[in-house]
Amino acid sequence: QSSTRGKMASTDLVAVAILEEDSRGDVLCVWSYPSLDAASEAVLLSRGFPTPAPILPSSSGSGAPPSTSLASAPTSSWVARYRSLWQYFHRDSQAAAAEPGVKSVCIALLSPVYNPERFAALLPPLLSSYISSGGDASVLLEKYLGAFATGRMAGWRRDEFPNNQALLAGGSLIKDVVEPFGLQAVIIWTAVLLKKRVVVVGEDTSIQRFLRAVPRLAWARQNWSILRPQVTLGSELEMEDLSAAGVYVAGFTDMAARSLIDQPQFCDVLVDLAARQVTVAESAKDDFRMGEMHKGVAAFMLQTVESYSTASVKSIPGAAADNDMIKGIFQRTTKIIDLVKAVVAQDPACSAAALDAHKVPRSTHRFMYNLAVAEGLVNR
């Protein structure tokens, strides 16, 4: 049993790195295991010392964004994604520096697994071992390899953080996606369902709470890899990563990212958290024509949010209310996808004639065809 656990543990730990900022504000990757390519190292450095530091509450497990230099919070943890790997960060700028002249030390861990709580619990003791040893990387490596091989470390066990629980953890609720935007929330649902490029702009760590709930709109897919929680607008490497991903829900704290709505290669839908506004790019508007199906989903979302906001049900835990909304959206989405499958079964091209035969309103034809493409039922 222990060997099985060790084998499983090894698959979710890919690399670890130590990033340092000196008293002049210069940042450097001083050690990593194994060695990182130049692009990965550069992205870690740009995200390792954002301003202000994104804080990961013990109940949330999410991360936050910005772009450059020094931290304002003494301790913080956050998550990002680059290429096919999640990047988990933890920094403690009040701890004794590992070396003279070092202002702040950050540890970063790379993993293919989305489980913020697991790594938020693992990173602090790893960083502490490095700092308390005076910057001896061999001490950190020994503890990292122990966690890699056994799935355990002092006070931490991998199997206490199941991956499936991470999808509903973090204190994020679909209500937080629906409530601020009202009827416009159905645009976000449509964008996720059709695998569009969504840019989310926010001013603080609430952006991470929001992003974490978005994939629940397409619960059947259980695909959190569409998230890019922390993107630096001025980074060529990070913007190239978005282009390569093709499908994403990307978070920016630089308000200049609102301009991406005018760049069709990057943005189909802009979600502005501060303005509580969802905007569809001009180039994508034909794909967001709304019909009765959209109205049904939108009505359910709003009714559910309103029902759990009334005094009579305020005692119901948020998670229970969220489960009801996830289930309701899932059921309505599944019904729509089943209809698409029936159309494609009749005509693999998902033609207008086949859609008409299934009494799909003409106003919804384009949406249904795009959904068939997104589900892999039709090749565009």
Side-chain angles (χ1 to χ4, degrees):
Q1 183 178 357
S2 61
S3 62
T4 301
R5 181 170 56 244
K7 182 178 179 181
M8 292 174 65
S10 68
T11 64
D12 64 2
L13 296 176
V14 171
V16 62
I18 291 292
L19 317 173
E20 292 184 350
E21 180 180 33
D22 64 23
S23 55
R24 296 170 299 181
D26 296 328
V27 295
L28 183 68
C29 179
V30 297
W31 176 84
S32 68
Y33 177 84
S35 298
L36 300 173
D37 64 86
S40 296
E41 184 175 304
V43 171
L44 285 182
L45 286 171
S46 74
R47 294 172 173 177
F49 297 93
T51 306
I55 301 172
L56 175 60
S58 59
S59 62
S60 91
S62 56
S67 31
T68 56
S69 201
L70 184 63
S72 60
T75 59
S76 54
S77 300
W78 63 100
V79 58
R81 184 174 173 86
Y82 181 63
R83 295 173 179 167
S84 61
L85 294 176
W86 293 100
Q87 302 170 322
Y88 296 96
F89 298 88
H90 178 77
R91 182 176 64 241
D92 187 344
S93 57
Q94 283 190 344
E99 300 175 25
V102 174
K103 195 170 192 177
S104 184
V105 183
C106 177
I107 185 169
L109 195 151
L110 306 185
S111 173
V113 174
Y114 180 74
N115 197 323
E117 284 71 33
R118 175 185 299 167
F119 299 109
L122 175 62
L123 287 174
L126 284 177
L127 180 57
S128 178
S129 71
Y130 175 77
I131 293 174
S132 62
S133 68
D136 187 345
S138 65
V139 174
L140 170 59
L141 179 59
E142 180 181 359
K143 291 189 177 296
Y144 170 79
L145 292 177
F148 176 91
T150 68
R152 295 185 179 187
M153 204 177 74
W156 178 86
R157 289 184 53 173
R158 175 191 181 278
D159 54 14
E160 291 180 351
F161 304 92
N163 288 333
N164 62 338
Q165 290 186 10
L167 305 186
L168 289 172
S172 298
L173 302 173
I174 287 189
K175 178 179 74 68
D176 300 324
V177 177
V178 175
E179 195 169 38
F181 302 103
L183 288 172
Q184 289 185 325
V186 78
I187 298 175
I188 304 172
W189 169 78
T190 303
V192 174
L193 207 58
L194 298 186
K195 297 184 178 179
K196 296 296 185 178
R197 295 161 298 184
V198 181
V199 169
V200 182
V201 179
E203 296 181 344
D204 52 35
T205 53
S206 64
I207 194 172
Q208 302 304 313
R209 180 184 176 95
F210 176 89
L211 286 172
R212 190 165 183 178
V214 169
R216 298 176 197 169
L217 294 171
W219 180 253
R221 293 178 186 156
Q222 299 201 5
N223 182 13
W224 267 249
S225 66
I226 62 173
L227 297 183
R228 291 294 190 276
Q230 177 189 347
V231 183
T232 307
L233 184 62
S235 167
E236 183 177 344
L237 288 171
E238 295 181 47
M239 298 307 289
E240 286 177 352
D241 181 52
L242 285 189
S243 293
V247 178
Y248 49 79
V249 182
F252 293 81
T253 55
D254 186 342
M255 295 301 107
R258 291 169 174 151
S259 66
L260 293 175
I261 192 67
D262 298 318
Q263 300 182 45
Q265 72 272 31
F266 286 118
C267 181
D268 297 310
V269 173
L270 173 67
V271 180
D272 190 329
L273 297 185
R276 295 194 167 199
Q277 184 173 357
V278 180
T279 306
V280 178
E282 194 66 34
S283 58
K285 282 187 176 179
D286 286 344
D287 291 337
F288 286 84
R289 293 175 181 169
M290 299 296 165
E292 291 301 319
M293 296 174 182
H294 299 84
K295 289 179 183 179
V297 174
F300 169 76
M301 288 178 174
L302 294 183
Q303 288 168 5
T304 305
V305 167
E306 289 170 2
S307 67
Y308 284 105
S309 298
T310 61
S312 60
V313 294
K314 280 185 177 178
S315 60
I316 298 177
D322 205 52
N323 288 341
D324 287 345
M325 189 174 289
I326 290 172
K327 183 178 179 180
I329 295 172
F330 169 77
Q331 290 172 338
R332 286 159 177 79
T333 303
T334 299
K335 186 176 179 180
I336 295 171
I337 292 175
D338 286 345
L339 177 56
V340 170
K341 290 179 178 177
V343 173
V344 173
Q346 176 183 323
D347 180 357
C350 195
S351 66
L355 289 164
D356 285 338
H358 284 79
K359 299 181 179 180
V360 176
R362 283 296 177 98
S363 62
T364 318
H365 277 202
R366 188 180 181 109
F367 166 74
M368 295 293 277
Y369 177 80
N370 287 336
L371 180 56
V373 173
E375 288 294 305
L377 303 173
V378 173
N379 292 322
R380 193 184 295 276

